[in-house]
Amino acid sequence: MEFRKARAGDFPSVKNLYTELIDELDRTINYPKWVNGLYPSEPLFIGAIEKGWLFLLTDGEEVIGSVILNCFPTGEYPAITWQRELAPEQVLNIHTFAIHPHFSGKGVGSKMIGAIKEYAKQDGYQSIRLEVFRDNGPARRLYEKNDFVFVDTVDIGGSIYRQLGIKDINIFDLYEFVL
């Protein structure tokens, strides 16, 4: 398996990964509340590829995982007491973390988190942070299993979901891994 930055030619595989994942989530339980065609969106991924923020976990030519990594949190967090007080450029934020459903439960998520930690160390980040829906038990368990520490629960009132008219899902748990 290889963890690498996405290239423009990877877009169709990335789109396919999220489409298949969201279809599977809709058949079972859509913990992240993602909606095909709305969020995560094609413009989000195209922009992330152009900015060098989209990373892939591949197995040969197959894209089996995807994540956006940057220094920008999803929302303006209220006065959060993180484990360490850091400047934004010292913090790597995880967004749209996804593993293809064919690889679910096989340790691939932990492998991708390990690769993210290694990337963050190599690039000099001091912390990795993320937010996850409070009701997304599988994601919370994955992060906790990989030594992320629960920091706080917040209502991200300006979340993309509220902007899309999806209500009552703006409560997120915040996690941090200090490097």
Side-chain angles (χ1 to χ4, degrees):
M1 288 187 205
E2 178 187 14
F3 184 72
R4 63 172 176 82
K5 282 190 180 185
R7 300 179 286 268
D10 291 319
F11 176 73
S13 296
V14 171
K15 181 180 176 185
N16 185 59
L17 180 148
Y18 284 92
T19 298
E20 289 184 19
L21 175 58
I22 294 168
D23 287 348
E24 179 65 22
L25 290 169
D26 285 343
R27 282 190 287 278
T28 57
I29 300 173
N30 191 336
Y31 290 106
K33 309 295 187 216
W34 289 348
V35 178
N36 270 325
L38 291 177
Y39 188 83
S41 67
E42 289 184 23
L44 175 70
F45 294 124
I46 291 168
I49 290 170
E50 289 171 354
K51 293 173 184 166
W53 296 345
L54 187 67
F55 289 77
L56 306 176
L57 185 65
T58 61
D59 186 13
E61 295 297 314
E62 185 176 13
V63 173
I64 62 173
S66 174
V67 64
I68 293 175
L69 302 173
N70 61 32
C71 294
F72 305 104
T74 297
E76 292 297 322
Y77 298 141
I80 299 298
T81 303
W82 295 97
Q83 295 178 82
R84 292 185 60 199
E85 188 73 29
L86 297 167
E89 63 273 7
Q90 295 175 299
V91 178
L92 186 65
N93 292 279
I94 292 177
H95 309 280
T96 66
F97 184 99
I99 300 297
H100 193 283
H102 293 149
F103 294 88
S104 178
K106 297 179 181 175
V108 175
S110 290
K111 286 180 183 177
M112 192 154 85
I113 288 175
I116 292 168
K117 288 177 180 179
E118 187 60 35
Y119 168 78
K121 284 179 196 174
Q122 289 176 358
D123 274 24
Y125 292 100
Q126 302 297 308
S127 173
I128 303 170
R129 296 177 182 166
L130 61 94
E131 68 279 334
V132 62
F133 280 121
R134 173 151 246 198
D135 294 337
N136 190 343
R140 288 186 11 254
R141 285 189 295 278
L142 174 67
Y143 296 125
E144 290 168 3
K145 175 180 157 184
N146 285 279
D147 302 319
F148 280 76
V149 174
F150 170 81
V151 174
D152 204 346
T153 299
V154 295
D155 179 349
I156 302 178
S159 80
I160 188 72
Y161 300 98
R162 191 167 288 163
Q163 293 169 22
L164 294 171
I166 302 169
K167 299 179 181 176
D168 301 325
I169 58 170
N170 295 301
I171 305 300
F172 291 84
D173 285 343
L174 304 178
Y175 284 86
E176 182 173 32
F177 178 82
V178 175
L179 296 159

